[in-house]
Amino acid sequence: MVSKVRVLSGIQPTGNLHIGNYLGAVRQWAAMQEDNTECYYCVVDLHAITVPQDPKELRAKTREVAAILLAAGIDPKRSVLFVQSDVTAHAELAWILNCVTPFGWLTRMTQFKDKSARQQEGASAGLFDYPVLMAADILLYQAHKVPVGEDQKQHLELTRDITMRFNRLFGETFTVPEPRILEIGARIMGLDDPTKKMSKSEANANHAVNLLDPPDVIRRKFQRATTDSLTDIRFDENRPGVFNLLTICQSFTGETQEAIVTRFAGKGYGDLKRAVAEAVVEGLRPLQERYAVYSKDPAQLDAVLRDGAARARVVADKTLADAKRRVGLGAGADQESRVQ
Ligand code: ATP
Ligand code: LTN
């Protein structure tokens, strides 16, 4: 029997999920649920607390994100959907990996440099350690593939380095994972400033199109999107505003670049913005309708997440026990860990 391809990815319950998260990551997650795959998707609340969070809001966001993932097509029968902190093995393996990760590797992470620059000395040790916890998430499930947006490429490379180092020091223990980054949609830019990645943590109300934004809000945000002073409509990376709108359009309609350019030949930016807005409104409609149903049924969400955590624990605890045995942790009182 051919063994299954294991997939794992995570998303933080911070701020509002936007079309960047959807096109770069979440939509792929749903598409990867095939017969020959075993998918693990987690809401990474331990990652969220690397920066200050209001406890009540964090819990509410954790549930909201889980409901959005269900609405986006993550099928709890085919995939394991769970909340990271419900599976304690994540924090435990992260500690072990911390002790095999050279400090210098972490100092090179650009996301830490960006995020800590805003907080200076006040940045938490957890923020610095963020990528090691991410490695633990991935390694516990022996994932082969990790679908993420472009911004996570460096973290995935670090995960691969940590994996190879652990395997070299303690013997083959973990699968070396590979990132899965789309060609189109892996880096959606902000509508207000198309030189910056669309992000949940930007203050400007016109920066991101959120997955739960009502149609009129989506239309208004696109109407106000920053473009340039030229007029022709084509895919040119040197014109980031128009390029971003065209990329969003292409990702939602599935058209080729040629078809899109032909469609907008002789048209103006106003037409482009209206058309992209309609593509997004239509593209998100099924998700928003399903979300409305899930959000009215907290008991069902509880059941899905309880079941997901239980299924995740079975796999994660087994991997963790193996890693601990290899490192020589514990007294080895139970038979299994004493056996070499
Ligand atoms: P943000 O910076 O928007 O707050 P994040 O990078 O902190 O988000 P997550 O919310 O955990 O992190 O990201 C979930 C997934 O969405 C990741 O795979 C990430 O690469 C992807 N992603 C985030 N922003 C974008 C974007 N603008 N375009 C494409 N993919 C993105
Ligand atoms: N760091 C990721 C979120 C994340 C993740 C993971 C992604 C946490 N653990 C494991 C893939 C695999 C981010 O998008 N900021």
Side-chain angles (χ1 to χ4, degrees):
M1 202 185 87
V2 186
S3 62
K4 291 188 173 184
V5 174
R6 285 179 303 274
V7 174
L8 177 130
S9 201
I11 188 158
Q12 299 191 73
T14 50
N16 295 315
L17 260 61
H18 52 71
I19 56 172
N21 299 131
Y22 180 67
L23 297 176
V26 173
R27 194 169 66 165
Q28 279 202 81
W29 299 6
M32 287 173 92
Q33 307 173 105
E34 289 167 353
D35 285 347
N36 62 339
T37 61
E38 206 174 292
C39 300
Y40 296 86
Y41 296 127
C42 64
V43 182
V44 293
D45 54 350
L46 293 172
H47 277 104
I49 61 164
T50 56
V51 296
Q53 302 291 341
D54 174 77
K56 263 206 194 108
E57 225 170 88
L58 176 62
R59 171 139 320 134
K61 278 287 166 197
T62 299
R63 298 180 64 86
E64 179 186 290
V65 170
I68 292 179
L69 294 178
L70 291 172
I74 305 301
D75 175 357
K77 290 198 193 73
R78 286 189 290 167
S79 295
V80 180
L81 176 65
F82 65 102
V83 176
Q84 185 188 34
S85 66
D86 284 341
V87 182
T88 55
H90 289 248
E92 220 178 318
L93 182 63
W95 179 258
I96 297 172
L97 297 180
N98 271 332
C99 299
V100 302
T101 305
F103 184 84
W105 289 4
L106 291 176
T107 62
R108 290 193 271 280
M109 294 296 110
T110 55
Q111 184 171 304
F112 175 73
K113 287 186 208 168
D114 292 347
K115 292 202 173 175
S116 62
R118 289 176 230 157
Q119 303 175 57
Q120 297 173 343
E121 289 285 291
S124 71
L127 187 66
F128 183 67
D129 199 36
Y130 180 110
V132 179
L133 178 59
M134 178 165 162
D137 298 341
I138 297 167
L139 299 192
L140 280 174
Y141 302 91
Q142 305 283 12
H144 300 99
K145 292 192 178 159
V146 183
V148 284
E150 231 261 331
D151 62 316
Q152 295 302 311
K153 203 172 165 190
Q154 193 186 36
H155 287 163
L156 255 297
E157 275 158 21
L158 180 82
T159 298
R160 288 169 59 86
D161 289 340
I162 295 173
T163 312
M164 289 186 274
R165 186 171 161 90
F166 188 102
N167 287 349
R168 198 171 57 246
L169 291 171
F170 300 105
E172 287 299 314
T173 310
F174 298 118
T175 305
V176 183
E178 274 182 33
R180 196 161 181 281
I181 299 172
L182 292 177
E183 302 243 321
I184 300 156
R187 193 172 172 80
I188 299 297
M189 311 307 278
L191 294 192
D192 58 334
D193 179 356
T195 62
K196 273 198 200 155
K197 172 187 100 88
M198 188 176 282
S199 156
K200 296 199 226 98
S201 32
E202 274 300 320
N204 188 322
N206 213 43
H207 170 80
V209 175
N210 299 324
L211 297 183
L212 301 180
D213 277 347
D216 56 323
V217 174
I218 296 177
R219 292 187 185 106
R220 196 174 61 234
K221 287 182 175 175
F222 278 107
Q223 216 55 50
R224 294 185 185 159
T226 302
T227 47
D228 53 40
S229 54
L230 301 173
T231 52
D232 61 326
I233 295 175
R234 59 192 164 82
F235 285 84
D236 177 355
E237 292 196 46
N238 297 317
R239 291 166 57 197
V242 174
F243 186 83
N244 193 39
L245 292 177
L246 289 169
T247 302
I248 294 169
C249 186
Q250 187 184 12
S251 299
F252 272 99
T253 63
E255 288 170 282
T256 62
Q257 290 198 355
E258 293 70 31
I260 290 182
V261 171
T262 309
R263 178 144 74 95
F264 291 109
K267 301 233 167 90
Y269 288 169
D271 300 305
L272 173 64
K273 289 175 174 180
R274 271 189 294 278
V276 182
E278 286 322 307
V280 174
V281 166
E282 283 316 309
L284 293 181
R285 193 188 299 281
L287 182 154
Q288 295 191 348
E289 285 171 359
R290 284 195 293 261
Y291 176 79
V293 177
Y294 285 116
S295 63
K296 282 195 200 89
D297 193 350
Q300 189 194 4
L301 187 63
D302 288 341
V304 165
L305 295 177
R306 210 178 302 122
D307 176 62
R311 285 155 70 199
R313 261 181 231 124
V314 173
V315 180
D317 288 350
K318 186 169 169 295
T319 312
L320 177 65
D322 186 33
K324 286 172 75 171
R325 183 179 60 80
R326 285 176 183 273
V327 175
L329 292 171
D334 60 284
Q335 277 293 36
E336 224 185 307
S337 40
R338 248 186 300 147
V339 176
Q340 279 308 306

